[in-house]
Amino acid sequence: MLIYEDGAIHEPRRGKLRVFFGFAAGVGKTYSMLTEAHELLEAGKNVVVGYVEPHDRPETNQLLEGLPAIPPLTIEYKHLLLKEPDIDQIIAARPEIVLIDELAHTNAAGSRHKKRYQDVDELLQAGIDVMTTLNVQHLESLNDVVEKVTGITVRETVPDTILQQATLKVVDVEPAELIHRLEQGKIYTDANTQRALRHFFMPEKLDQLRGLAIQRASDYINRISTKTVGIQNRLLTIVSDEFPKMREKCIRWSARLAQDMGAEWTVMQVRNLEDTDTELPLAEKLGAQVISIEETNAFETVIEFAKMTGITDIIIGKNRLAPWYERIFLDDYESRILRRLPGTEVHLVPFMEKRQGSWWKKRQRLDAESKDFWIVGGGVLLTTLLTGLLQQLGVDEQNLMMTYLFFILLVARATSGYLWSALASVLSVVFFNWFFVEPLHSLTIYQQGYILTLFIMLSVALMISNIMMRLKKQAERALAREHRLDMLYELNKRYIVAEDRQEVLDISTSYLSRLLNRDVVIYNAHVQVASFYSAGEANSPLLTREEAAVAAWVADNQRIAGYGADTLSGAKGFYLPIVGSGKTLAVLGMTRNHHLELENDQLNYLQLIVTQLAVILEQMQLKYDKKQVEIENEREKVRGNLLRLVSHDIRTPLTVISGTAETLSQEESMQSDTTKHLLQDIQDEAQWLIQLVKNLLSITRIDSTTQKVATQAEAVEEIVEAVYRHIKKAYPKADVTVDIPDEVLFVEADSILIEQALFNLIENAIRHGEAKAPVTLAVMKQGEEIVFTVTNAGEMPLAHYQRIQSNLDNTRSVPVDSKNGLGIGLSIVKTIVHAHNGRMEIQVADGQTRISLYLK
């Protein structure tokens, strides 16, 4: 979002958030917020009420009087009229401060955002300060703790990162006083009061909530008042998708630890279930970086990641309901970590939870397609017939077993689940025993040792099927990754050969449209359709004004929005910002609805493409900017050469004109007052033009590409002497005083340019200062800098100087004539000083003008 102010474009500052923080309803958060709003209003601040919950509390409602308010937005939901803050009207009004009550509130269906804290974030993005209220039980990281304390699951939560961006004001009251207020009916109505006293507003619960609020506020104060010294902590939380409750508990516990330590933290999810989402919204909401890995070689991945990123603390769950055989036969995960990472601290979060789903569901989703059943049933029959044929040919029993093991490999390869390969293993043992082990056609085993043989056969069969299925799944995943990389590689090759930005955008829309089988559009940064590719729909909803408005919001706020997102979820499309160097380069949109959903893998792939597209567009912009700079440099070279040639050509006739005028003025026939005055004017103007040519020639000494000059150590005394000599030659009657220190000073400079700059300053002082007033050129050393100061009586028009500094000029400005109004001479001085990495200052006071040049 850009702000136009005084004719210029500004990036708006992010607004400031002030949170009135309490431990329960009724402590006085809204009352304190409204009281402070009145104080700010009296201090001259532009304060408005965006939304305050309609509490039935007379004292609070009375404070709303006298505060300007923006009418809330009315939304109809299930025949009810609900009110929410009107974000568009608030942004249009652009107050300094807006009051938005109940930060954790869930907005009515049909609102722009799902949560009110997202509304507040948009207002902050627009540069508007926000005052709001929040209770401790609504902090996401404390959700499990609050549930344990109160026995109530709080559904409306906000990320703890909100407090990291805010200033906090704790509104506190004794629990006994709060209960007294409740009993007096100052918080809820009579019916709600009795229910609250029986459930939530109990002294022991309020004491614990108050303790949580004070502790959280104390942690906040410690974070902003102290600086981290020494080693920066990095946390890694390891969770498994088999234990969803443990996953949430570990994430919240880690979030609290990370906030207390001011540490960066990462959540690594080990995926055991095939349909597990690779994203963890809770962890991302609490400010963590999320990494999802497969179960295969997960431990080694954890170890290598910890070493590579310098993890100092690892948080893992400790299941108190782990099966006995795991406790006996499997080494503890934390022990394995400590052996490999002895310098890392390991934190154990206890939990009690059984693995999600049955054993079969844990390993693989059951796929009961009929073809798998026929493959197993028909395969075991064919294998039995083949084994019988081999037996007739005299093959011994040990080799007959191999036939069934080979059959199990084929089943594992051809079917789609662990169930079928395990079933094939069991059926193979049963059929082998029935048809080929004495007594035949019976499951009874007489021969000694055959029980062990069949048990080993079953074990080997199950292990083979298990290994085969693992290899198959790994191969499928590797193939899918390879396919995605191949597609990215092909897309990148097409990007590289693209000639311009438009071709890149067209390649992207056509590629994504064919890949996802839906309409795809890309809007430019000005929310104009830059490229569109249709998958076949006649009238695409992506091209409507309503969808363009969604894209505009995405471009302004650099957030995902549209169908399936928390913001503007009623849209027909799904929109992602393409951001580079903090600026919105474009917006990618695509059709999305319940018929055309986006799978998790597709969303991850889209994010990857958006990142790649941002890099390509940024590179193209840099390439274009570089080309423009090269063109401008060539123009500057041509200008410089032309200026140099023209200046040399003009200088000779000007010298002739000046000399001729001086000679004619000495002729006896030219002694009349009028003639002498005219000849003097010709001579003065010619001298001025000669000086102008010198100025122009001095500019050509500055490199047009780098705007720098070749410098060497020059004696300051010699520079001043040369300037004084030139001034006396041009203005013999001028009263010029030179003040230089006794010590020998040197300055890194181009002496010719510095002499020209000082000459211009003294000439301006003589021509525009008070007549016959002395002009002083002083030199001094300040630290590492050499300061040249020209002082004259009379004040330079400051408006002219400021206009020259900012290179502003228009038809309504007072014209600054280059000869009579300080124009080109002072501008050239400024250019010369900047080319020397110096600075120029002007002071106009006490009837004097003082211009100082600072050089090193």
Side-chain angles (χ1 to χ4, degrees), residues 587-604:
V587 175
L588 172 65
M590 61 199 65
T591 308
R592 186 180 184 185
N593 50 50
H594 63 283
H595 296 300
L596 281 173
E597 256 300 350
L598 285 171
E599 300 296 333
N600 180 61
D601 288 342
Q602 291 175 324
L603 286 172
N604 293 336

Side-chain angles (χ1 to χ4, degrees), residues 756-765 790 826 829 840 851 853:
Q756 187 65 49
L758 293 173
F759 183 92
N760 285 356
L761 291 180
I762 297 173
E763 183 183 45
N764 277 336
V790 176
L826 199 56
V829 173
M840 181 169 69
I851 301 178
L853 308 183

